[in-house]
Amino acid sequence: MLDRRELAGVLAHEVAHVAHRDLWIMGLADALSRAVSLASWFGQVILLVNLPLILMGAAYVPWEVPLLLIFSPTIMALLQLALSRTREYEADLGGARLSGDPEGLASALLKLERSAGRLWEEMFLPGRRIPVPSLLRTHPPTEERVQRLRALAGPLRPTHPEAPLRLPQVGRIAPPRFGPWGVWR
């Protein structure tokens, strides 16, 4: 359903995710989230041990420690969602720089937003497209992404039809490196 220009913008966006090592970053965030979840279980055990210690008058762990451990997965999930939204903005910028055509990606985002899963969402997930609260979204609002991309269109547009595109400098993409045991890092 996308034309060539829009498809080039979407592919450049996805290549930017790879170039910025977003899979590795989000994998690291997921690993940290799992560790925090394990710490939450430890906080629940501390809370259960604390109750009898208080009744016996013995020394106990201050309440702030187990409560912080118990609620830390929720805080970590919100941080992970915020990281995901930030990485989407970076991939939009990288895709616009790579393709030299931010309007193509903006057009594709609008087209995908209009057509993606409307029937199924209305049947099974009513209210899914309600943007509030935005803290629980993995992607930023499409309108905001399109607005940022269109603001980039001016600096990337050539002054003369036959002039080359003036692309901002994009960092060099490092080749994959292998660690001491052949592990890709």
Side-chain angles (χ1 to χ4, degrees):
M1 74 180 168
L2 301 177
D3 63 23
R4 285 180 178 253
R5 182 180 179 203
E6 295 165 339
L7 186 60
V10 170
L11 289 175
H13 170 90
E14 297 306 328
V15 167
H17 273 303
V18 174
H20 295 143
R21 302 181 68 178
D22 288 345
L23 289 173
W24 181 82
I25 291 170
M26 293 309 290
L28 180 63
D30 184 54
L32 289 173
S33 177
R34 291 171 192 261
V36 166
S37 183
L38 182 64
S40 174
W41 282 99
F42 188 64
Q44 292 174 18
V45 169
I46 290 173
L47 187 63
L48 289 175
V49 170
N50 243 5
L51 293 174
L53 290 176
I54 290 173
L55 293 175
M56 292 187 314
Y60 60 91
V61 177
W63 286 104
E64 294 85 11
V65 174
L67 289 179
L68 178 66
L69 289 173
I70 289 171
F71 289 113
S72 59
T74 303
I75 296 167
M76 184 65 186
L78 292 175
L79 290 174
Q80 200 170 357
L81 290 170
L83 177 65
S84 176
R85 289 188 300 273
T86 302
R87 303 312 301 165
E88 284 301 317
Y89 282 132
E90 290 297 319
D92 286 348
L93 177 61
R97 285 180 175 166
L98 185 63
S99 70
D101 182 21
E103 186 58 40
L105 178 57
S107 175
L109 287 172
L110 289 172
K111 194 179 280 188
L112 291 171
E113 176 76 16
R114 281 191 303 268
S115 66
R118 280 287 194 194
L119 178 63
W120 293 108
E121 287 175 357
E122 289 173 7
M123 288 176 22
F124 297 114
L125 301 168
R128 176 185 176 273
R129 292 196 180 256
I130 297 173
V132 178
S134 64
L135 288 175
L136 302 178
R137 294 176 61 122
T138 57
H139 286 63
T142 303
E143 299 81 27
E144 192 172 326
R145 293 172 71 186
V146 168
Q147 183 180 11
R148 287 182 177 211
L149 285 166
R150 288 187 172 152
L152 287 175
L156 296 180
R157 201 174 288 138
T159 54
H160 186 270
E162 295 182 18
L165 287 175
R166 291 176 286 130
L167 296 177
Q169 286 292 353
V170 178
R172 183 177 158 273
I173 299 173
R177 295 174 292 171
F178 293 92
W181 294 286
V183 177
W184 185 36
R185 56 183 173 110

